[in-house]
Amino acid sequence: SNETSKACSICFEQDHDNEDSKLVPLEGCSHVFCSSCLRQYVSLRVESRKVNCMPCPMKPVNGCKVEILDEVVREIAGDEILLKMKRFQEENTIERNPFTRWCVNPKCLRAFVLDEKMKESLSNKQTNQKNCERGVCP
């Protein structure tokens, strides 16, 4: 049948009898990967904080536009990697927003949005210097 001719697009292995690594077709595209290759790919992206998107591994090859869903990340790489991915996504969002600040207390991991008054004083400063107000978590 056609199923047997499918092979992992990363390592090109075809026979995946062992439970440890089975072939996983991505939803939305025809690309198939063995779960161990996919696990490695996802983990590597998360560890290097490339988490704003999780594209199909074939994107650099043929421009595939499919994104790997969170449920698939969890299924392939586990809860810990998914949670780490979510945390990094949140951190990236915070760091991209010019009106958010991390709490100045290094033990506090929270971020907060500047209030209107602080935003105004930021906008009034024509320079690009970092805002020096000692923001503390509300």
Side-chain angles (χ1 to χ4, degrees):
S1 79
N2 195 20
E3 283 309 300
T4 52
S5 66
K6 293 231 179 237
C8 171
S9 298
I10 296 173
C11 69
F12 305 111
E13 286 285 315
Q14 279 186 331
D15 47 4
H16 286 79
D17 295 332
N18 59 336
E19 207 20 67
D20 195 39
S21 187
K22 55 187 195 295
L23 282 178
V24 179
L26 281 193
E27 210 175 302
C29 66
S30 54
H31 302 125
V32 178
F33 307 94
C34 56
S35 50
S36 52
C37 284
L38 211 49
R39 187 179 307 122
Q40 206 174 358
Y41 168 80
V42 166
S43 303
L44 211 64
R45 276 190 76 94
V46 170
E47 292 305 335
S48 54
R49 288 177 170 257
K50 291 184 181 152
V51 291
N52 294 338
C53 59
M54 190 60 75
C56 167
M58 293 309 284
K59 184 182 182 177
V61 181
N62 59 21
C64 182
K65 289 187 169 36
V66 167
E67 293 269 332
I68 299 174
L69 303 173
D70 289 0
E71 304 89 83
V72 177
V73 170
R74 173 188 278 129
E75 203 179 303
I76 293 295
D79 280 338
E80 201 179 322
I81 290 286
L82 181 68
L83 286 173
K84 203 181 243 191
M85 180 177 101
K86 290 305 204 190
R87 197 178 75 237
F88 288 164
Q89 281 172 346
E90 199 180 320
E91 287 174 8
N92 288 353
T93 303
I94 288 164
E95 280 160 16
R96 277 201 308 271
N97 183 341
F99 295 124
T100 50
R101 291 290 178 274
W102 291 104
C103 178
V104 291
N105 174 358
K107 287 195 177 71
C108 174
L109 297 174
R110 291 199 297 171
F112 57 96
V113 179
L114 300 182
D115 62 29
E116 290 309 313
K117 208 165 61 202
M118 286 167 122
K119 281 185 187 179
E120 222 169 274
S121 77
L122 248 189
S123 311
N124 291 342
K125 289 176 189 163
Q126 290 307 306
T127 63
N128 277 338
Q129 288 174 334
K130 277 262 181 269
N131 174 27
C132 65
E133 278 124 0
R134 304 294 283 165
V136 178
C137 279

